[in-house]
Amino acid sequence: MTTQLLSEKRIMALADDAATAPSMHNAQPWHFRYHRHDRIFDLRADLDRALPYADPDTRALHIGCGAALLNLRVAVSHSGWYPATRLLPDPTDPALLATVQLTGLGSSESDLDELYPAVHRRHTSRYPFDETDIPEAVRSALLDAARREGCVLDFPTGWHLQWVLKLAAEAEARNLTDRVRVEELLRWTRTAATATDAVGSGVPEHAFGPRKRGGRAPMRDFAGARPVPGRGAAAFESSPHLAVLSTAGDRPADWLRAGQAMERVLLRATLEGMVSSPATQAVEWRDLRWPLRDPVAGTGYVQMVLRMGYGPPGPATPRRPVADVLDIEP
Ligand SMILES: Cc1cc2nc3c(=O)[nH]c(=O)nc-3n(C[C@H](O)[C@H](O)[C@H](O)COP(=O)(O)O)c2cc1C
């Protein structure tokens, strides 16, 4: 085994790649610690960035951290190492979500490596998408991406799609009138009036997208009831493409797998010229989450709903400085 040590610049670049991951309300609930001697990254949950009302079980927190973990594996692979990954390696320390050891220089995973160009290019797009079909070959590449991380992706059609859209609309209506959730959302959104609040996290006004004037796409309105000067309105898709990501179980390890699968799907979609926005409103209400699943296929627990298609790319959103999310140990 080689004893090659990574430079500080290289370690910071790997953490920076990992932190481009999507997270609910852009809370970025992760922290990395790199152990130089063993070449191991610890990925820890930053529970100060949890969302107690929208995500009381920290399921979404684990999904965001799983996405950051997938990015880290991609970045490590891209730099020529094999990312030996363990989920929840210490049962006495549940906030230690994963470790990634850089081993076997020269034996990277090529199927991960090829996703690297999408890591900094993927952004959530809250614009209307074209009413274009997703070609069969692209759909099956996306299903395969989820399968490689041990999860199931499904594109509901017919009555199941209508049902998922209905549940999302019900959840969005509840969210807009649920005082504590509205307050939580406001804490994590940045309009011109709150621009000086916190640097580097939350959803900024420029990423809200237009207000929905029509169409059936399940959009979360980050502005809530606040007027946002200069924000336009637009008609969204009348037949949106939704992808539903499910896991066999519903425990922290399943959530981390779901996060990795989601990010693998999103990176693959980005390479295919697609755009996406998660639409998890219904997953966040216990009574609406269970009926989201397809009772015929019966594919376990729904973890994510993704709106996918072709259209304008989303803008980049802020990230915390790498120095705030990374410690380097000797
Ligand atoms: C678990 C989870 C749930 C999310 N739910 C939604 C959602 O319902 N609506 C939405 O527009 N974005 C949603 N997002 C996307 C985040 O808001 C987005 O990732 C974050 O603001 C950072 O922006 P970026 O994806 O462009 O990097 C979700 C992301 C995650 C990981």
Side-chain angles (χ1 to χ4, degrees):
M1 175 168 140
T2 168
T3 53
Q4 188 178 328
L5 295 182
L6 264 59
S7 69
E8 183 171 323
K9 198 170 154 207
R10 191 75 222 116
I11 299 162
M12 289 178 79
L14 291 170
D16 183 56
D17 290 339
T20 63
S23 57
M24 190 167 178
H25 298 3
N26 199 21
Q28 303 162 51
W30 44 65
H31 193 272
F32 301 94
R33 180 166 296 143
Y34 185 72
H35 304 271
R36 246 198 173 117
H37 184 72
D38 302 317
R39 280 198 313 272
I40 293 181
F41 275 99
D42 291 345
L43 165 61
R44 301 191 69 85
D46 181 346
L47 295 168
D48 291 340
R49 293 178 165 267
L51 304 168
Y53 297 109
D55 184 32
D57 306 328
T58 68
R59 196 185 56 78
L61 177 147
H62 281 77
I63 290 180
C65 288
L69 175 60
L70 190 280
N71 275 0
L72 180 63
R73 289 169 51 209
V74 168
V76 166
S77 254
H78 181 69
S79 58
W81 297 87
Y82 180 83
T85 303
R86 292 176 64 198
L87 296 186
L88 301 168
D90 182 354
T92 66
D93 184 3
L96 176 58
L97 302 183
T99 55
V100 176
Q101 184 166 34
L102 282 64
T103 61
L105 187 58
S107 57
S108 63
E109 286 186 274
S110 62
D111 63 322
L112 284 177
D113 187 3
E114 69 188 22
L115 299 173
Y116 187 76
V119 163
H120 287 266
R121 222 192 295 153
R122 181 218 58 82
H123 305 299
T124 298
S125 172
R126 299 188 186 87
Y127 294 107
F129 298 168
D130 304 337
E131 304 265 0
T132 328
D133 272 350
I134 303 172
E136 210 36 62
V138 174
R139 280 176 194 253
S140 69
L142 300 177
L143 302 197
D144 180 60
R147 206 177 301 123
R148 280 170 190 250
E149 299 300 330
C151 299
V152 174
L153 192 74
D154 178 38
F155 285 92
T157 55
W159 68 266
H160 187 205
L161 175 60
Q162 299 313 317
W163 185 232
V164 174
L165 288 170
K166 214 178 239 174
L167 293 168
E170 163 67 17
E172 180 66 8
R174 286 190 197 176
N175 284 351
L176 291 174
T177 50
D178 185 276
R179 192 180 50 80
V180 289
R181 289 188 194 217
V182 168
E183 280 168 7
E184 188 172 78
L185 185 83
L186 294 188
R187 270 200 301 283
W188 288 100
T189 49
R190 310 271 165 251
T191 61
T194 59
T196 50
D197 261 33
V199 188
S201 51
V203 182
E205 178 183 310
H206 71 257
F208 289 1
R211 199 165 44 76
K212 189 164 98 175
R213 184 167 20 83
R216 302 198 66 206
M219 303 307 299
R220 189 194 294 266
D221 196 335
F222 284 87
R226 289 170 297 179
V228 176
R231 183 181 184 216
F236 281 71
E237 310 90 277
S238 50
S239 307
H241 298 295
L242 297 186
V244 175
L245 183 73
S246 312
T247 50
D250 198 29
R251 300 174 64 85
D254 302 296
W255 304 335
L256 290 170
R257 272 183 217 107
Q260 293 179 87
M262 170 190 72
E263 184 66 349
R264 206 191 253 259
V265 168
L266 296 179
L267 296 181
R268 167 56 59 199
T270 304
L271 293 182
E272 300 286 350
M274 299 179 76
V275 284
S276 59
S277 62
T280 54
Q281 298 92 323
V283 190
E284 291 149 27
W285 291 90
R286 214 176 282 275
D287 59 322
L288 302 181
R289 182 183 175 204
W290 187 244
L292 278 173
R293 64 197 268 282
D294 180 348
V296 181
T299 45
Y301 296 84
V302 171
Q303 304 293 352
M304 287 299 294
V305 178
L306 303 168
R307 179 180 70 116
M308 307 195 77
Y310 300 90
T317 51
R319 290 296 183 274
R320 289 188 291 155
V322 178
D324 290 3
V325 296
L326 171 69
D327 292 329
I328 302 179
E329 305 271 311

